[in-house]
Amino acid sequence: MNNSATLPEPRHVIDFWREAGPAKWFARDDAFDARFRELFADAHWAAARRELEPWMDTADGALALLLLLDQFPRNCFRRSGHAYATDPLARHYAALAVDAGFDTQVDPALRVFMYLPFEHSEDMADQLRCIELTRALDPEYMKYAVAHRDVIERFGRFPHRNRELGRVNTPDEQAWLDAGGGF
């Protein structure tokens, strides 16, 4: 059943994210995560069921959809496998959005969120695509894109996800994690 009448509009998702700013985007903040969950959990589940696919008709709609599928689960389902469950769908929509040129139509300060689904992928082709797309952004974003690519190049996956995804660490992955591996 589609409950779109009770769901936010794309601009509400984008406005919330923009107002939060970088200090909240890339840091753990339980209060922020709780507010994100309170406001947008229903929209996340609708997006996961592909009920918000019409949002892909506009650049801002695509951005809002990617925030719900890529960033929302990382904030609101930390330390669980669901943090990564909608990654494939986020990558699908990100590819469509980039191919449509929507990435160049959104607020430049938020453009990176069109590319993060590729950075979060455990597929090397997606990692390389992320690096190519990120070249035009703040060099700080490139630093993280390269770091993610390097982990995939070394391990073929992100070892810090292994526990949540029920995967067993290899000795090399465990040594990397024990040494503080991460981003």
Side-chain angles (χ1 to χ4, degrees):
M1 179 175 161
N2 187 334
N3 295 321
S4 61
T6 61
L7 295 175
E9 295 179 28
R11 68 182 167 83
H12 296 133
V13 177
I14 294 170
D15 288 348
F16 172 83
W17 198 252
R18 182 184 294 113
E19 289 168 17
K24 302 284 185 189
W25 295 343
F26 302 114
R28 182 181 180 129
D29 181 321
D30 293 337
F32 174 73
D33 293 352
R35 184 71 177 143
F36 199 7
R37 188 178 311 104
E38 175 188 331
L39 292 173
F40 300 111
D42 290 342
H44 164 74
W45 294 114
R49 292 187 302 267
R50 298 184 76 154
E51 293 172 3
L52 302 183
E53 201 158 280
W55 287 15
M56 286 299 298
D57 293 342
T58 67
D60 281 346
L63 174 61
L65 192 57
L66 292 174
L67 290 169
L68 290 173
L69 293 170
D70 186 68
Q71 295 303 301
F72 180 90
R74 281 171 168 72
N75 285 77
C76 298
F77 302 108
R78 291 180 194 272
R79 300 179 193 238
S80 80
H82 191 77
Y84 316 108
T86 54
D87 282 6
L89 190 54
R91 273 193 314 282
H92 167 74
Y93 288 136
L96 293 175
V98 169
D99 290 348
F102 287 163
D103 57 319
T104 63
Q105 297 174 33
V106 298
D107 178 345
L110 301 176
R111 186 173 299 157
V112 69
F113 296 101
M114 298 288 253
Y115 305 151
L116 286 180
F118 302 116
E119 184 173 297
H120 293 150
S121 173
E122 292 184 325
D123 180 89
M124 184 54 78
D126 290 332
Q127 291 295 319
L128 296 175
R129 187 171 194 188
C130 179
I131 286 176
E132 187 57 37
L133 292 166
T134 304
R135 287 188 195 287
L137 302 180
D138 182 315
E140 189 70 12
Y141 292 136
M142 179 59 81
K143 178 178 93 173
Y144 286 101
V146 169
H148 281 75
R149 188 243 9 240
D150 289 351
V151 172
I152 295 303
E153 190 171 67
R154 179 173 174 184
F155 301 111
R157 61 188 186 174
F158 293 118
H160 64 277
R161 296 181 185 177
N162 287 349
R163 182 175 45 91
E164 288 86 358
L165 296 176
R167 302 186 305 207
V168 176
N169 291 330
T170 66
D172 191 30
E173 289 172 336
Q174 190 60 56
W176 181 76
L177 291 168
D178 291 345
F183 307 107

